[in-house]
Amino acid sequence: MEVQAGQLLSQINIPSDLKKFKEEDLPEICKELRQYIIDIVSVNGGHFASSLGVVELTVALHYVMNTPYDQLVWDVGHQAYGHKILTGRREVFHTNRIYKGISGFPKRSESEYDTFGVGHSSTSISAALGMAVASHYKGEKDRQHVAVIGDGSMTAGMAFEALNHAGIENSNVLVILNDNCMSIDPNVGALKDYLTDITTSKTYNKFRDDVSAVLSKISELGPNAHEIVKKIEKSIKGTLLKKSNLFEALNFRYFGPIDGHDVVHLAKVLKDLRDIPGPKLLHCVTVKGKGYALAEKDQTKWHSPGLFNKITGEIKKSAPSKPQGPKYQDVFGHTMVELAEMNDKIMGITPAMPSGCSLNIMMKAMPHRAFDVGIAEQHAVTFSAGLATQGLIPFCNIYSSFMQRAYDQVVHDVALQKLPVVFCLDRAGIAGADGPTHHGAYDIAYFRCIPNMIVSAPMNEEELRNLMYTAQLKNHGGPFSIRYPRGNGVMPEWKRPLKEVEVGKGRKITDGEDVAILTIGHIGNEAVKACLELNAEGYYPAHYDMRFAKPIDEELLHEVFKNFKNVITVEDGCIQGGMGSAVLEFMADHQYQAVVKRLGIPDAVIEHGEQAELWNECGYDAFAILKTVKELVKAKPTERLVG
Ligand SMILES: Cc1ncc(C[n+]2csc(CCOP(=O)(O)OP(=O)(O)O)c2C)c(N)n1
Ligand SMILES: CC(=O)[C@@H](O)[C@H](O)COP(=O)(O)O
Ligand SMILES: [Mg+2]
């Protein structure tokens, strides 16, 4: 569907076009930009409310700053749709997050205006500071470096690491705190309360305004008075104000809070800030979903609503081609409550993804036993470890790609101490439209090499429930990880009685000859599809569900290598170091001879697209499995296809 940009917006191909307009035109430009985002996202999908919340900020920044020379870094980047539209991508924005289209996040290879690749939160201040220090070193005194970071992203430790460093570098960095009181779910933590206080507190703002009013009166008395005033202001700021403002205490000049939707005022403030050297923080108060009433009302639902009717607000449900099971995340959420009712030691932890991983189900049912710790994956892991030292059984749910941020905590704080933390890695494997920053490609490999770690992956919803049930039965001598994908399972009737599974045991799905297909996790269902088709063509491969990558089922592998000369391993994860590698290691350790073909995510960056498109591109969907079976069966014994 052709979407037409508004009359002013259609004249803005790059930010320098924006500068041709007068300040009084900016509100109309914001109106047209906001409408364009609504028009495209409603038919295309993607992140929605966050971009609406920064329309004015985006326009003001590109109006005042000399981008791309002045550098903007968008934290997470899910709010950068306006930025993309204003920086040469208006006419291709309808390909946003579509296979082979533009990325849903700023990406250096996509545009010179995208100064830093993002997707994971809380990196913007570090990156902008790096750029600022580099500019200082290169003598680029006039260059601006701006990090736009949300209040949610500000709850991550990395943001404070950067503030701490920036405060002593005296580099020209402007942090714009986009404060809308929301993460994906409502923001959490003491910082949120502080920001609310500083935004609403009469004391701080009144005292500061009174001081400036008095001082500006005095400075009108003459040039000497102006000098005296600067000294008084410095000492007051250096004592009273500094003590009462977190950011001032870190040597940032704090400005605000200001209305993040008043584009003309924003432009004026940004112009003033350009001339103030050193680290600065501008506190902008915005509304997530601004300008689309339904999104303002339910900001979590409209964070990433999918396709919707922009007039009625009706969100379109995808009609599956065949009966689907529930979302894996919901099976996790409901099973958490079921297990917690049976075992009062169970606790749930999520770093800022309660609705994303469905821990919100337990948070609602048992608010004292389920925690949203903010965007703080490292803290989530070690907080879980602390709980485990006291005999509790924490289920720490972290998206596979976000878990990468807490790797040392898993090794150092959990595995070395053999603590029984259950890691539920949601969004494991190809995540889809979020692309390479969000694909959970590496968790089998990065967990398999950790001592005392159990690495498991359910083939379906029933298996997920049984692995969760098994994990909490006892301390298995360390952490127990269960990884599962974004999206739906295959069992409409999923809520079956919970059963213990034997740790380290796989299972045979079907007997066969010539080729053994070994799968792990949900991708086993692709092998089921392939086997049905192969049977119809007279091929009868065997299929085993490994269920565990560590400990791997050695008894099953002995059976496989004693009976098959052709083996295919399949995983929705990186080939290198994955389950297939574990099978090769076993084969070598036991001097078996066979042709082993490993299917999975290759050693490459996999861009965005639908999961099925990317499984096909990576060569491990049903079609690829079928093709590989035929190749192996036809291959002569001398042809070795070790993958
Ligand atoms: C390391 C990491 N953890 C979690 C996420 C998931 N995530 C994406 S956006 C978001 C909320 C960000 O809130 P905020 O920074 O306030 O931006 P807003 O959506 O309010 O504009 C979260 C938790 C992520 N992208 N990266
Ligand atoms: C931007 C970000 O990191 C999150 O919004 C993420 O896109 C959520 O992913 P799901 O949509 O799979 O929950
Ligand atoms: Mg926010």
Side-chain angles (χ1 to χ4, degrees), residues 151-152 178 180 182-183:
D151 56 308
N178 172 36
N180 55 22
M182 289 297 291
S183 188

Side-chain angles (χ1 to χ4, degrees), residues 597-612:
K597 185 74 185 149
R598 292 177 295 166
L599 305 184
I601 299 174
D603 180 18
V605 174
I606 307 304
E607 298 302 341
H608 57 277
E610 294 307 313
Q611 285 169 310

Side-chain angles (χ1 to χ4, degrees), residues 47 49-51 53-54 75-79 105 119-123 148-156 177-185 187 286 288 303 351-354 374-377 398-399 401-403 405 438:
H47 293 100
S50 307
S51 285
V54 295
D75 205 284
V76 181
H78 63 310
Q79 80 289 61
F105 302 103
H120 287 187
S121 78
S122 319
T123 61
V148 181
I149 183 168
D151 56 308
S153 301
M154 192 59 101
T155 61
L177 174 57
N178 172 36
D179 182 5
N180 55 22
C181 289
M182 289 297 291
S183 188
I184 294 178
D185 299 87
N187 199 8
T286 64
K288 188 164 182 174
H303 173 83
M353 302 303 285
I375 307 183
E377 286 80 8
I398 305 186
Y399 283 23
S401 71
F402 302 157
M403 172 58 92
R405 188 163 277 189
H438 286 63

Side-chain angles (χ1 to χ4, degrees), residues 370-392:
F371 303 89
D372 173 2
V373 299
I375 307 183
E377 286 80 8
Q378 296 172 337
H379 165 64
V381 171
T382 307
F383 170 65
S384 301
L387 291 169
T389 61
Q390 304 307 302
L392 298 179

